[in-house]
Amino acid sequence: MAEADIIKAITEVLKADGNVAPLAEGRVFGGELPEGEAQFMPRNAMVIQPSGGVSLAAGSFLNHDTQRIDLFSYGATPFEAEALRRLCRRALVNVRRRIVGGCLMHWIEPAGGFFAGRDPDAAWPRAFQSYQVFHALEEI
């Protein structure tokens, strides 16, 4: 059986959300911004990256785990980047026992507060928040 792709599932959740999708205009990416996107930045876009953290399922024999993710939202202005982050938060915390792209997600919760500032390399306006996702490891 194939392993579930939690990053892909989260990008699909955000692309399908009726509030996030119009503002992001389809620019929701897993891992990093695609190479061709940089020439058009800064503009509304999101990047979902896996990050470290303690597994809440450690020591169990569950075929489930938790994954911490970092969500970076970009905008033409700091206000736009932060507005996009807030919409993403609402979309993510509303996920409850949902199958998306073959991945069963039980819940997504904030893993701390948010931060707004500028990308350290390109100085694009950016907002950031981490989340913890409890999900099945095998594709459904």
Side-chain angles (χ1 to χ4, degrees), residues 12-124:
E12 289 183 26
V13 165
L14 294 173
K15 284 180 179 180
D17 183 81
N19 293 312
V20 173
L23 198 56
E25 298 178 353
R27 292 183 297 273
V28 180
F29 308 106
E32 64 183 3
L33 280 173
E35 194 172 310
E37 271 302 304
Q39 65 185 334
F40 301 109
M41 296 297 280
R43 65 180 182 176
N44 291 354
M46 282 142 353
V47 175
I48 296 90
Q49 294 180 334
S51 63
V54 176
S55 169
L56 298 179
S60 74
F61 294 100
L62 294 173
N63 201 14
H64 284 61
D65 205 353
T66 54
Q67 172 64 52
R68 184 175 159 156
I69 60 140
D70 294 335
L71 181 136
F72 296 92
S73 60
Y74 296 89
T77 66
F79 178 82
E80 288 180 10
E82 175 56 19
L84 188 54
R85 185 207 57 83
R86 286 192 310 270
L87 290 175
C88 290
R89 182 190 190 285
R90 184 177 302 151
L92 294 177
V93 300
N94 284 323
V95 170
R96 292 290 181 266
R97 195 153 169 81
R98 189 185 310 174
I99 299 171
V100 177
C103 182
L104 169 60
M105 295 177 284
H106 293 279
W107 48 256
I108 302 175
E109 294 291 335
F114 66 92
F115 173 80
R118 293 198 174 259
D119 178 278
D121 296 321
W124 301 325

